[in-house]
Amino acid sequence: MTPTALALDCRLEEDDGVLYLAGTWRLHNVPAILAALGKLALPRARDLVLDGSRLESIDTAAAFVILEHLERVGCGAERVVERAFDPKQRRLLELVRRHLRTRPVPASSRRGVVQQVGAATIAICEQLRRDLAFTGRVCLELMALARRPSLFRPREAAAQFEAVCIDAIPIVVLVNVLIGIVVAYVLGVEAQRYGASLFVADGIALAVCRELSPILGSVLVAGRSGAAFTAEIGTMKVEEEVDALSTMGLSPIQVLVIPRLLALALAMPLLVLVGDAAGVAGGMLVGASKLHIPPGVFVDRVHSVLELRHFFVGLGKAPVFALLVAMIACRMGLEVKGDARGVGRNTTSTVVQCIVWVFVLDAAFAVILQRLGI
């Protein structure tokens, strides 16, 4: 016997709306059910009677569609009365209605100010927890390396040193020369009004060697080497090469993290030293061309003003910033999940985190050193 096509017939009987279900209501007819419901106009009535006297069969998919549609248009369970259903169909409808009642209400996608602040605080605390946990793991691996120096990989460290230091010198020189030119020009314009052009050398020497060179070098390293660390380790994580190292009994931190950590810690002071010379050279160029300060006089002024403590403060910040950048970059690389999109997301996060934390740490240095009178 061929199943009868489904049909919907809605009438108004004794101030109640009656919706007759006719034919076969099953999963393969759901598109037709949705089309029929879209054309259905329910009468204005106190209650809605759902009549199954003309119904041949119904399954859970069709029952879910009709009950959900009625609930969406304002005919919930309290307004719907079932009539002329056989016991099996009635139990099926009750089962579907029970699941509709227990469906979780979707949370609002919009958060209030308090919720946003709370979520951001939780995210920061979780990030700090992961940072501390990763730092602890690295310290344990460094202790193991101190006990067994044969675990160190000098070739990998040398290759990383070349990539993060030697190859980065041109961009560090260029940026610091330009910064020296800009600072000297701005200071010179103001100093010329008071006939104090020579004091531009003081500002250049102190600003570049104590603050600008370490910060600029760290930002460049974060954008260049930090992003590269995360991308390299993240790609290895996606391709399961990190898991392969663990399977072979090798520590991913010993193989991937520590060589990069030590290479960057050694490279950063050298980059800051190069940046100091480049920044002072940029200021000297402006002094000679615009402020009429001979290069010899400029250099003598720098020597007389720049105390060793200012020079060593800037140089001492370098390895701290380097360790910060390397730790964040390697941790984000090891935490990559999914596919290439995860690599890109963590790489972007690495650069942002490194730059923010470098400035936070530099501000902390400024306050502490000021209190110590250094």
Side-chain angles (χ1 to χ4, degrees):
M1 182 176 179
T2 305
T4 307
L6 66 91
L8 281 172
D9 183 14
C10 192
R11 302 177 185 177
L12 187 62
E13 300 177 0
E14 298 180 356
D15 296 331
D16 289 333
V18 181
L19 182 60
Y20 290 92
L21 308 182
T24 304
W25 287 60
R26 291 194 172 275
L27 177 62
H28 63 275
N29 280 335
V30 166
I33 295 172
L34 292 173
L37 290 173
K39 300 176 183 177
L40 182 65
L42 296 176
R44 295 183 178 274
R46 294 175 303 176
D47 295 318
L48 179 68
V49 178
L50 201 60
D51 190 287
S53 59
R54 307 175 187 177
L55 189 64
E56 292 184 4
S57 63
I58 187 170
D59 62 7
T60 54
F64 177 82
V65 171
I66 181 67
L67 292 179
E68 186 187 40
H69 176 79
L70 293 177
E71 187 174 311
R72 192 165 55 246
V73 297
C75 295
E78 68 281 355
R79 289 190 55 199
V80 176
V81 179
E82 298 164 2
R83 185 178 73 184
F85 286 93
D86 65 39
K88 184 184 296 185
Q89 293 172 347
R90 192 179 297 276
R91 287 196 300 270
L92 186 144
L93 289 172
E94 181 57 31
L95 175 66
V96 174
R97 183 177 283 113
R98 189 162 58 247
H99 280 278
L100 280 174
R101 284 197 298 266
T102 58
R103 266 191 317 177
V105 179
S108 175
S109 58
R110 298 186 63 183
R111 292 177 175 176
V113 176
V114 176
Q115 289 177 313
Q116 291 179 2
V117 172
T121 303
I122 292 173
I124 292 174
C125 292
E126 176 62 20
Q127 184 181 32
L128 290 175
R129 185 195 65 79
R130 294 199 304 267
D131 287 337
L132 289 175
F134 184 73
T135 303
R137 290 172 57 195
V138 172
C139 290
L140 290 176
E141 294 292 345
L142 286 172
M143 293 170 61
L145 182 64
R147 291 193 301 267
R148 296 179 58 189
S150 60
L151 295 175
F152 183 62
R153 296 173 175 268
R155 292 186 179 180
E156 176 67 15
Q160 294 296 331
F161 181 83
E162 180 182 0
V164 302
C165 182
I166 307 301
D167 296 343
I169 287 177
I171 186 65
V172 170
V173 170
L174 176 62
V175 170
N176 279 277
V177 166
L178 294 177
I179 287 296
I181 290 174
V182 171
V183 173
Y185 185 80
V186 173
L187 290 178
V189 170
E190 296 300 322
Q192 277 184 323
R193 297 181 180 180
Y194 305 99
S197 300
L198 186 60
F199 291 102
V200 171
D202 301 31
I204 290 292
L206 293 175
V208 169
C209 295
R210 188 179 176 107
E211 296 293 340
L212 294 179
S213 183
I215 290 178
L216 290 175
S218 301
V219 170
L220 290 174
V221 165
R224 187 178 178 277
S225 303
F229 289 174
T230 302
E232 291 168 1
I233 298 175
T235 302
M236 295 178 68
K237 183 73 180 297
V238 169
E239 295 178 354
E240 299 182 351
E241 295 180 27
V242 176
D243 297 333
L245 289 174
S246 301
T247 303
M248 291 187 294
L250 299 174
S251 169
I253 293 180
Q254 289 281 1
V255 176
L256 301 175
V257 177
I258 291 180
R260 288 172 168 81
L261 198 69
L262 296 180
L264 199 56
L266 292 174
M268 196 64 198
L270 298 177
L271 293 176
V272 170
L273 188 61
V274 171
D276 291 345
V280 173
M284 186 170 59
L285 180 63
V286 173
S289 59
K290 296 293 183 181
L291 306 176
H292 309 293
I293 303 175
V297 176
F298 192 97
V299 172
D300 289 339
R301 185 66 185 178
V302 169
H303 284 169
S304 62
V305 171
L306 185 62
E307 300 177 12
L308 283 179
R309 63 186 178 93
H310 299 303
F311 175 76
F312 283 117
V313 163
L315 209 59
K317 294 178 181 179
V320 179
F321 292 163
L323 292 174
L324 176 72
V325 170
M327 294 286 282
I328 293 175
C330 293
R331 179 182 66 80
M332 294 302 294
L334 291 172
E335 289 184 357
V336 168
K337 296 179 182 178
D339 50 10
R341 184 176 298 177
V343 177
R345 183 169 54 247
N346 281 31
T347 301
T348 303
S349 179
T350 292
V351 177
V352 175
Q353 288 185 52
C354 289
I355 292 175
V356 170
W357 280 111
V358 162
F359 280 99
V360 170
L361 201 57
D362 187 69
F365 270 123
V367 173
I368 294 172
L369 294 175
Q370 181 67 27
R371 292 291 181 88
L372 296 176
I374 301 177

